[in-house]
Amino acid sequence: FTTGSWMNGNDMIFMLFSSISGISKVGSYTGNGVSGLSVTTGFQPRFVILKRRDSATEGDWYVYDTTRNWVSLGSNSQRLQLNNDDAQANCGTCVEPTSTGFNLGSSGRHNTNNGKYIYYAHA
């Protein structure tokens, strides 16, 4: 692929992902703003990256993983943001893993009504 003149001398990291049945899933979803929106990956993810793709104000890259106590909505789940150097932060009502994917809470970070999101999930 090419970046053209878009980089303007800035250092960048490009990560390219692919879906592998039962191991990883690359996909997208549209938020509905209501807690309980389910995204199916076909496996229980231990690691998820989420990003809103249709809004510059919500364009952070969020990471949830089981190493950071990612267990259920309402728990003390921690998240990281790949695009900044902030410490991990609590977002217990944002996302929860399920045996076949993940559910989203009503957080505007990941489930704004009609918001467009992309994700990468890994088993």
Side-chain angles (χ1 to χ4, degrees):
F1 67 94
T2 179
T3 63
S5 61
W6 178 74
M7 289 180 54
N8 294 326
N10 294 317
D11 292 331
M12 298 285 175
I13 295 174
F14 292 93
M15 293 182 268
L16 308 175
F17 298 100
S18 176
S19 295
I20 300 172
S21 182
I23 297 173
S24 63
K25 174 83 178 200
V26 177
S28 64
Y29 63 91
T30 300
N32 66 7
V34 179
S35 186
L37 176 63
S38 182
V39 177
T40 301
T41 62
F43 55 86
Q44 183 168 344
R46 292 184 298 167
F47 176 87
V48 171
I49 300 172
L50 302 169
K51 182 185 188 314
R52 186 166 180 184
R53 65 176 179 86
D54 67 338
S55 171
T57 61
E58 292 292 335
D60 294 319
W61 293 87
Y62 292 99
V63 174
Y64 295 89
D65 62 81
T66 55
T67 301
R68 254 167 275 290
N69 193 38
W70 183 44
V71 289
S72 63
L73 292 176
S75 70
N76 192 26
S77 294
Q78 300 291 304
R79 62 167 167 77
L80 290 176
Q81 290 176 260
L82 294 178
N83 56 303
N84 67 42
D85 59 0
D86 292 349
Q88 66 184 19
N90 186 347
C91 193
T93 60
C94 293
V95 185
E96 70 179 346
T98 67
S99 62
T100 59
F102 55 94
N103 290 334
L104 298 149
S106 58
S107 167
R109 290 181 180 94
H110 314 308
N111 191 11
T112 298
N113 190 35
N114 292 319
K116 309 295 183 198
Y117 299 86
I118 57 173
Y119 68 89
Y120 170 72
H122 196 86

